[in-house]
Amino acid sequence: MPGEGIPQWLEDLEKIPLDSRLRRKASLKRFNTWRIGGAAECVIDVKNLKDLRLLLPFIHKNQIPWFVIGKGSNLLVPDKTWPGIILHLSGDFKCWEPLEEKFNSGGKKVSAGAALADVTFAQKCVPHGWGGMEFLIGIPGTIGGAIAMNAGAHGAETADFIDEIEWMDMEGNLHCTAKDEIEFRYRYSELNGNYGRIITRAVLSLNESDPKTIQKNILKYQKFRKEKQPYNQPSCGSVFKNPTGDHAARLIENSGLKGKIKGGAQISTKQANFIVNLGNASSDDIMSLINTARETVFKNYSIDLMPEVQILQSSIYS
Ligand SMILES: Cc1cc2nc3c(=O)[nH]c(=O)nc-3n(C[C@H](O)[C@H](O)[C@H](O)COP(=O)(O)OP(=O)(O)OC[C@H]3O[C@@H](n4cnc5c(N)ncnc54)[C@H](O)[C@@H]3O)c2cc1C
């Protein structure tokens, strides 16, 4: 008999011999950059491929709600307890390794684990003079999240630098797919946990540059963020994608919504496409501002703003 209130799948999960840390009823506040939301039934810091290969078929077979997160820097977490498994890649998935054999072919290629922080990746490239991905310095996510969201800034996006991606399907099969075989669009990749595909590692191809130029770009991008964005308040970055030929921030600002407050959340006074947590925002406060911005912009401009932010829900693969 399962213990009181403990789902059967959780009892079965605890019997799987994992190297990874498993946490019950873990608060998700520290797993997202808005610093909001309730707990998850279970969070697993997945340490290696072996464990991922055990976990995904188990989740799939038992039809357990699940979600893979990076740093939760583009994620809205609900206020109430989330009833499934959060996969949080860690351990081996933070690797960073220059691929020397590929260097001889002329390119500067680096293998990066999905859990490696974007900022760490950008910083590691500086002394080597490997350029192009300096834009990652201002994106507080992981390499896996950057690929899943095709994150970009300052005229470049992650897909521009991808050579190949290693990922796992829900049956636990590991794939290595060349970039050309994967569909990428503006803030979209078909490799995303939402579609039952977990990115584990990527080979990124960088440009030969010099450390001084790269460092200069990094400082320029950091200065831009400090001047234009509410960098010292919890947020998820841009809430909406920019519609073709326009800017979501301009549309929201011109709709008179800059500074609008709902509960503990506010449409940033600095950048209208950011919603910030003033200290005690709930997920509902943020969702309410998202709906207000969307409805008001539609009323004024007949443009339906598409959220860039992902909502924590069950991944749809079944
Ligand atoms: C201050 C601030 C500034 C930002 N600036 C930018 C910017 O300039 N440009 C930009 O594009 N974004 C920006 N963002 C948004 C965000 O940082 C990016 O979308 C980032 O790539 C998300 O990475 P993450 O690891 O935090 O992913 P999460 O937020 O944890 O997840 C986002 C999505 O990716 C999926 N995912 C994560 N890891 C994996 C994986 N290993 N395999 C499969 N799917 C996965 C999740 O399931 C989810 O659907 C900003 C955010 C903040 C807070």
Side-chain angles (χ1 to χ4, degrees):
M1 279 288 286
E4 202 186 329
I6 301 177
Q8 180 62 50
W9 61 258
L10 201 46
E11 299 216 331
D12 295 341
L13 175 66
E14 280 169 350
K15 290 180 196 138
I16 303 178
L18 298 174
D19 300 328
S20 305
R21 177 172 171 204
L22 192 150
R23 280 177 264 198
R24 297 263 342 263
K25 299 266 188 235
S27 167
L28 291 175
K29 277 194 171 59
R30 73 171 201 83
F31 290 97
N32 72 89
T33 52
W34 253 324
R35 303 279 174 252
I36 58 161
E41 190 66 59
C42 175
V43 174
I44 304 176
D45 297 317
V46 187
K47 214 174 155 189
N48 52 37
L49 278 175
K50 175 190 86 64
D51 282 5
L52 194 61
R53 197 175 270 125
L54 290 170
L55 285 164
L56 293 177
F58 173 82
I59 289 170
H60 183 38
K61 186 170 149 241
N62 292 286
Q63 293 286 292
I64 302 162
W66 71 282
F67 199 88
V68 57
I69 57 167
K71 287 193 178 284
S73 63
N74 204 9
L75 194 62
L76 182 59
V77 175
D79 296 319
K80 58 180 196 294
T81 296
W82 194 74
I85 297 177
I86 300 287
L87 297 176
H88 176 240
L89 303 189
S90 62
D92 290 358
F93 298 106
K94 291 188 177 173
C95 62
W96 186 91
E97 182 195 5
L99 298 178
E100 302 218 353
E101 74 280 11
K102 299 214 176 183
F103 273 47
N104 298 332
S105 63
K108 306 293 171 208
K109 308 222 187 229
V110 176
S111 167
L116 185 70
D118 295 332
V119 172
T120 308
F121 180 91
Q123 284 166 342
K124 277 177 176 283
C125 289
V126 180
H128 299 277
W130 300 335
M133 295 193 81
E134 297 92 295
F135 67 89
L136 286 180
I137 200 72
I139 302 186
T142 59
I143 292 295
I147 294 168
M149 294 305 304
N150 191 15
H154 310 288
E157 60 184 21
T158 305
D160 299 339
F161 300 90
I162 293 171
D163 209 50
E164 60 190 31
I165 300 176
E166 183 189 87
W167 58 279
M168 195 175 278
D169 65 29
M170 295 305 292
E171 280 82 33
N173 303 307
L174 197 62
H175 305 258
C176 194
T177 309
K179 182 257 184 96
D180 294 349
E181 291 170 40
I182 302 160
E183 188 188 349
F184 286 101
R185 295 197 298 265
Y186 167 59
R187 303 295 174 265
Y188 168 87
S189 152
E190 63 177 322
L191 288 185
N192 189 310
N194 293 337
Y195 313 121
R197 297 169 188 141
I198 292 81
I199 299 154
T200 52
R201 194 177 61 87
V203 175
L204 298 153
S205 198
L206 298 153
N207 308 323
E208 198 160 356
S209 184
D210 79 287
K212 277 191 188 147
T213 309
I214 298 174
Q215 188 59 31
K216 222 169 103 187
N217 286 338
I218 283 184
L219 293 175
K220 187 170 76 185
Y221 297 158
Q222 285 174 326
K223 187 164 176 268
F224 172 88
R225 301 258 169 192
K226 281 194 176 155
E227 282 171 8
K228 306 280 183 203
Q229 298 178 355
Y231 71 96
N232 55 355
Q233 289 176 295
S235 79
C236 78
S238 296
V239 171
F240 296 102
K241 297 183 188 186
N242 287 322
T244 312
D246 212 329
H247 287 96
R250 186 193 78 84
L251 297 166
I252 298 167
E253 182 171 350
N254 288 357
S255 295
L257 293 173
K258 220 175 181 182
K260 185 170 177 57
I261 291 179
K262 168 74 180 144
Q266 181 180 40
I267 295 185
S268 168
T269 52
K270 211 166 178 184
Q271 218 280 19
N273 197 18
F274 280 46
I275 294 176
V276 296
N277 179 357
L278 296 172
N280 61 348
S282 67
S283 192
D284 286 348
D285 294 339
I286 287 172
M287 196 42 113
S288 166
L289 287 179
I290 290 176
N291 290 335
T292 301
R294 207 168 166 184
E295 284 159 17
T296 314
V297 167
F298 189 75
K299 202 169 77 200
N300 293 343
Y301 298 96
S302 300
I303 293 174
D304 190 11
L305 290 177
M306 288 294 128
E308 178 179 323
V309 63
Q310 308 285 295
I311 315 282
L312 176 59
Q313 54 202 354
S314 235
S315 289
I316 53 173
Y317 184 88
S318 63

